[in-house]
């Protein structure tokens, strides 16, 4: 009994260290990547590593001009399929989270129902982009907001582990979501400045 408790304590401490490292790493990633897409892939990978049971995830950003959510990057989804996909506000799980501004934790029996309002083609693209063409065991979707403005959604899935996510996982994703939103806004400004500097350099030369 004592050995099991010690093991549980050690596991919790390791998870806490991973999550703290993820917070620290978030701001460093901006200057170590050459594009927003690469930055977001690194962010998703770090979040998956720090979230026990997570094995896949994707991040959508709101396109103000087109009024829809675009998948900016994903981990353990097929890129040739997910890049074709977009979601309307209120469509599917991520669309609902964006529209409401509230996180969702869903288990297997709830996921199909939550995705039932997706357009046929959108659902096909989603299923074809998953590794095993199956619905997740559980998923967490959290809104990304910056200065009270919604900029996107982060959704983390669990396909391969029989255990489901819990409220503690939601709290972590909500907390890291604020940091992710700041990183994305800062990265956009950073890459735009880099682009302008490169253009100016070309003109001068």
């Amino acid at each position: 009994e004592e050995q099991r408790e010690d093991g549980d304590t050690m596991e919790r401490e390791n998870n806490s260290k991973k999550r703290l490292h993820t917070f620290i790493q978030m701001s460093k990633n901006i200057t170590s990547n050459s594009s927003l897409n690469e930055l977001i892939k690194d962010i998703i990978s770090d979040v998956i590593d720090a979230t026990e049971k997570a094995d896949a995830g994707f991040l959508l950003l709101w396109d103000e001009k087109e009024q829809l959510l675009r998948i900016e990057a994903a981990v353990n989804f097929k890129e040739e399929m997910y890049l074709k996909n977009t979601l309307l506000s209120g469509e599917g799980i991520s669309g609902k989270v964006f529209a409401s501004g509230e996180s969702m934790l869903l288990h297997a029996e709830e996921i199909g129902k939550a995705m039932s309002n997706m357009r046929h083609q959108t659902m096909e693209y989603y299923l074809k982009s998953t590794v095993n063409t199956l619905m997740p065991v559980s998923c967490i979707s959290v809104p990304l907001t910056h200065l009270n403005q919604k900029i996107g959604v982060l959704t983390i899935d669990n396909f391969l582990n029989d255990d489901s996510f819990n409220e503690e996982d939601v709290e972590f994703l909500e907390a890291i979501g604020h940091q992710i939103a700041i990183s994305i806004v800062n990265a956009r400004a950073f890459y735009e400045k880099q682009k302008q500097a490169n253009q100016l350099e070309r003109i001068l030369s």
Side-chain angles (χ1 to χ4, degrees), residues 3-4 20 29 38 70 130:
Q3 283 182 337
R4 190 167 69 245
L20 180 59
N29 280 344
E38 287 180 15
R70 294 188 183 280
T130 61

Side-chain angles (χ1 to χ4, degrees), residues 196-205:
Q196 289 172 357
N198 291 338
Q199 287 173 340
L200 181 60
E201 191 176 327
R202 281 196 297 272
I203 291 167
L204 293 174
S205 62

Side-chain angles (χ1 to χ4, degrees), residues 42-134:
D42 277 355
I43 285 172
I44 298 167
S45 294
D46 286 343
V47 171
I48 289 172
D49 287 345
T51 310
E52 191 187 6
K53 300 180 287 287
D55 47 49
F58 53 92
L59 192 149
L60 306 97
L61 293 178
W62 179 247
D63 185 326
E64 189 65 40
K65 185 180 176 182
E66 298 293 330
Q67 291 290 292
L68 47 76
L69 288 160
R70 294 188 183 280
I71 298 180
E72 187 66 34
V75 171
N76 292 333
F77 284 91
K78 297 171 187 170
E79 188 170 279
E80 69 273 15
M81 296 311 301
Y82 77 68
L83 284 179
K84 297 177 184 178
N85 228 350
T86 58
L87 284 176
L88 303 173
S89 179
E91 182 182 11
I93 295 167
S94 299
K96 285 185 174 80
V97 166
F98 183 80
S100 68
E102 295 181 3
S103 304
M104 291 179 77
L105 165 61
L106 297 170
H107 306 295
E109 64 278 5
E110 305 164 312
I111 290 172
K113 184 179 177 183
M115 296 174 73
S116 62
N117 73 337
M118 287 172 70
R119 292 163 291 163
H120 177 72
Q121 187 68 75
T122 308
M123 176 66 91
E124 279 214 347
Y125 282 146
Y126 172 77
L127 290 173
K128 286 179 180 177
S129 72
T130 61
V131 176
N132 48 16
T133 326
L134 294 172

Side-chain angles (χ1 to χ4, degrees), residues 30-33 185-195:
I30 294 172
T31 53
S32 63
N33 286 284
V185 169
N186 288 345
R188 280 173 164 167
F190 175 77
Y191 297 138
E192 185 58 35
K193 282 181 182 177
Q194 272 196 326
K195 183 181 170 183

